[in-house]
Each structure stands twice: as C-alpha cells, then as structure tokens.
Amino acid sequence: MSKVLIILNTFNILMLQLLIEREFYTSRIARMFGRGVIVALTGQRRVGKSCIMKTIKNDIESNNNNK
C-alpha cells in the first residue's frame, strides 16, 4: 500500500472517531424510514449531512444484527 493511501486511511479512521452525535436530527429522520418516504438532506457544504446519514445507517445495521 502506498504512503498516500496509508495516510488517507489513517485520516478516515480518525474522522470516524470524531463524529458528532446529532440526536435531534437523527431521531427525526430515522422515524421516516420504512414508511415509503423519500428523505433528502439539503444544506450548505460540510455541515454534517453525510455524517447524519452514516449514523442512521450504522444504527439500522446494528439493530438488524441484534435481531
């Protein structure tokens, strides 16, 4: 593996550990899943839209693994 990929991989691991929990938004959005509703997050760049969706995805995966 090249040095650039190792650095990027280390950066990604560090960023995953620094995710800010946004309980208010994740709980409101997660309630819409499974109802046939299309969920679209809009907003300025770099405000956490992708992180919110990743958090919800991880929660859904962990709930499915527990069943």
Side-chain angles (χ1 to χ4, degrees):
M1 190 180 307
S2 72
K3 290 181 181 180
V4 174
L5 289 177
I6 291 171
I7 292 170
L8 287 175
N9 192 25
T10 303
F11 177 76
N12 286 338
I13 290 170
L14 291 174
M15 290 306 293
L16 287 176
Q17 295 172 354
L18 297 174
L19 286 178
I20 298 171
E21 295 285 331
R22 293 176 170 90
E23 288 292 324
F24 177 75
Y25 295 112
T26 54
S27 64
R28 289 185 68 185
I29 294 167
R31 282 186 268 161
M32 295 180 204
F33 283 94
R35 294 184 178 181
V37 176
I38 297 173
V39 178
L41 298 181
T42 62
Q44 294 180 332
R45 295 176 65 185
R46 303 183 57 88
V47 295
K49 299 179 297 286
S50 297
C51 292
I52 290 172
M53 294 306 287
K54 287 177 187 175
T55 303
I56 293 171
K57 178 188 78 88
N58 291 339
D59 290 344
I60 291 171
E61 286 177 345
S62 67
N63 287 339
N64 288 339
N65 290 337
N66 291 337
K67 290 182 179 180

